[in-house]
């Protein structure tokens, strides 16, 4: 990937993210039988941002099960990650758990179950699925977003006015900004995705994280909604469930085969990693991993 000059633009609406070197590139594949392949800056931590939403969705489903779908939909949005317009038409109910409004509603569910410990619970869950207690929150990124997250504040206040959030808006947003600011490297992220590639089971412990049914459903939501209004293009080119973050990371799941993390900070116009998607397209083509056929 080093020879590709076009890399998209690093996110700048969160000031701390604007400082990241756009030339970074990392990729890690962890197969279900435990083999690990690494390339590039695979050990450099980056801000996982919206990729954290896969794990908060998993936790919230664990807490309230299918009742979650009364608050949040599971249809693709076809609009930007921070879009406000759809919320008004749909009376404060977000389209899906991966656009910002939906993820804020999911965070609110976790907060209701665990008022003082929600953030610790999310971080510990991340450490548990990745088998890595060194994973941390980058407080500077969280503070940077907290200072400038006007749109997310608007979304949260709007949902609150419809009764979709139970907790005070600033509590819910505080937890949301902090889980988006979890910093991980590609290896840790690929490790964290293993349960989704392996029918809900953490392959190193053999322990069930979620039922096979739930893993399948989380994967389907990643496929349909994981790249905002770039989800169709990602499915067309890569053909795997995937979730992007504005930090330039993508977690992709090849069910039954492998968990893959890629990081390249430059984004395309839909807010998804530009080179990350190209790398995944090449990888899945070479491996015959698209869920739609070889
Ligand atoms: N924390 C970011 C936000 O709320 C997440 C967006 C993303 O990664 O796509 O704007």
């Amino acid at each position: 990937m080093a020879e590709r000059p076009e890399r998209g633009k690093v996110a700048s609406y969160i000031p701390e993210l604007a400082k990241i070197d756009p030339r970074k590139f990392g990729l890690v594949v962890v197969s279900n039988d435990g083999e690990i392949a690494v390339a590039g800056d695979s050990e450099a931590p980056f801000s996982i941002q919206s990729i954290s939403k896969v794990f908060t969705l998993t936790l919230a489903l664990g807490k309230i099960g299918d009742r979650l779908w009364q608050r949040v939909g599971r249809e693709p949005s076809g609009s930007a990650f921070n879009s406000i317009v759809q919320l008004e038409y749909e009376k404060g109910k977000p389209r899906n758990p991966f656009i910002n409004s939906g993820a804020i509603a999911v965070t609110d569910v976790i907060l209701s179950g665990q008022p003082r410990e929600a953030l610790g619970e999310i971080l510990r869950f991340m450490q548990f699925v990745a088998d890595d207690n060194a994973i941390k929150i980058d407080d500077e990124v969280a503070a940077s977003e907290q200072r400038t997250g006007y749109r997310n504040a608007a979304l949260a206040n709007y949902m609150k006015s419809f009764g979709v959030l139970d907790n005070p808006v600033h509590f819910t947003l505080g937890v949301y900004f902090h889980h988006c600011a979890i910093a991980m490297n590609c290896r840790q992220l690929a490790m964290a995705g293993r349960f989704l590639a392996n029918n809900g089971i953490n392959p190193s412990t053999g322990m069930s994280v979620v039922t096979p049914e739930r893993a399948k459903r989380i994967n389907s939501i990643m496929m349909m909604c994981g790249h905002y209004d770039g989800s169709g293009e990602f499915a067309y080119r890569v053909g795997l469930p995937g979730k992007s973050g504005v930090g330039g990371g993508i977690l992709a799941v090849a069910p039954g085969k492998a968990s893959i993390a890629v990081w390249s900070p430059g984004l395309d116009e839909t807010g998804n990693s530009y080179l990350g998607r190209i790398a995944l397209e090449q990888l899945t083509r070479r491996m015959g991993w698209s869920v739609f056929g070889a």
Side-chain angles (χ1 to χ4, degrees), residues 13-14 49-50 53 81 100 145 152 176 180 228 244-247:
Y13 76 98
I14 300 174
Q49 291 295 320
S50 283
K53 297 171 182 174
F81 67 102
N100 286 7
E145 190 170 4
N152 285 324
Y176 171 78
C180 286
Y228 313 115
S244 67
V246 290

Side-chain angles (χ1 to χ4, degrees), residues 13-14 17 47-53 81-82 98-101 103-104 141 145 149 151-152 155 176-177 179-181 226 228 243-249 267 270-272:
Y13 76 98
I14 300 174
L17 296 184
S47 192
I48 66 166
Q49 291 295 320
S50 283
I51 305 169
S52 61
K53 297 171 182 174
F81 67 102
N82 55 6
F98 291 158
I99 50 174
N100 286 7
S101 53
I104 292 167
V141 172
E145 190 170 4
R151 256 187 184 252
N152 285 324
L155 291 169
Y176 171 78
F177 291 142
H179 73 63
C180 286
Y228 313 115
K243 181 72 203 88
S244 67
V246 290
L267 308 179
T270 53
N272 301 304

Side-chain angles (χ1 to χ4, degrees), residues 272-291:
N272 301 304
S273 176
Y274 180 89
L275 267 197
R277 198 204 66 210
I278 293 175
L280 287 170
E281 183 179 359
Q282 293 185 354
L283 179 77
T284 52
R285 188 180 291 147
R286 184 102 44 105
M287 302 302 288
W289 276 352
S290 164
V291 300

Side-chain angles (χ1 to χ4, degrees), residues 38-233:
V38 306
D41 300 301
S42 57
E43 290 293 317
F46 61 91
S47 192
I48 66 166
Q49 291 295 320
S50 283
I51 305 169
S52 61
K53 297 171 182 174
V54 173
F55 302 91
T56 50
L57 171 65
T58 306
L59 269 178
L61 283 171
K63 284 182 188 301
I64 65 168
D66 284 343
R67 279 185 293 135
L68 185 70
W69 306 122
Q70 293 163 10
R71 292 202 199 200
V72 185
R74 46 174 194 259
E75 292 293 343
S77 70
S79 51
F81 67 102
N82 55 6
S83 169
I84 294 180
V85 67
Q86 213 158 39
L87 265 188
E88 177 155 30
Y89 287 128
E90 296 177 4
K91 303 201 167 35
K93 182 177 176 180
R95 264 293 168 94
N96 68 63
F98 291 158
I99 50 174
N100 286 7
S101 53
I104 292 167
V106 166
T107 302
D108 189 72
V109 167
I110 300 173
L111 191 55
S112 295
Q114 202 68 298
R116 270 177 302 207
E117 261 296 300
L119 188 58
E121 188 183 9
I122 296 167
L123 183 62
R124 278 194 300 279
F125 182 61
M126 210 69 229
Q127 295 170 337
F128 164 68
V129 286
D131 279 333
D132 195 330
N133 288 338
I135 295 166
K136 291 195 182 63
I137 292 169
D138 183 330
D139 290 322
E140 281 171 19
V141 172
S144 179
E145 190 170 4
Q146 199 134 25
R147 271 196 309 276
T148 56
Y150 306 115
R151 256 187 184 252
N152 285 324
L155 291 169
N157 279 295
Y158 202 69
M159 286 190 287
K160 184 79 180 170
S161 77
F162 281 102
V164 173
L165 302 187
D166 290 336
N167 297 284
V169 164
H170 66 282
F171 281 2
T172 304
L173 281 177
V175 175
Y176 171 78
F177 291 142
H178 281 79
H179 73 63
C180 286
I182 292 175
M184 291 168 80
N185 60 39
C186 287
R187 182 180 46 76
Q188 292 167 324
L189 190 57
M191 292 291 280
R194 290 170 304 164
F195 74 98
L196 292 171
N198 196 39
N199 282 318
I201 292 167
N202 174 339
S204 59
T205 59
M207 272 165 70
S208 164
V209 181
V210 295
T211 61
E213 178 83 0
R214 185 157 288 161
K216 181 180 77 181
R217 293 195 151 146
I218 294 169
N219 284 337
S220 77
I221 298 168
M222 288 172 77
M223 176 71 90
M224 299 307 294
C225 316
H227 283 71
Y228 313 115
D229 48 343
S231 298
E233 188 69 6

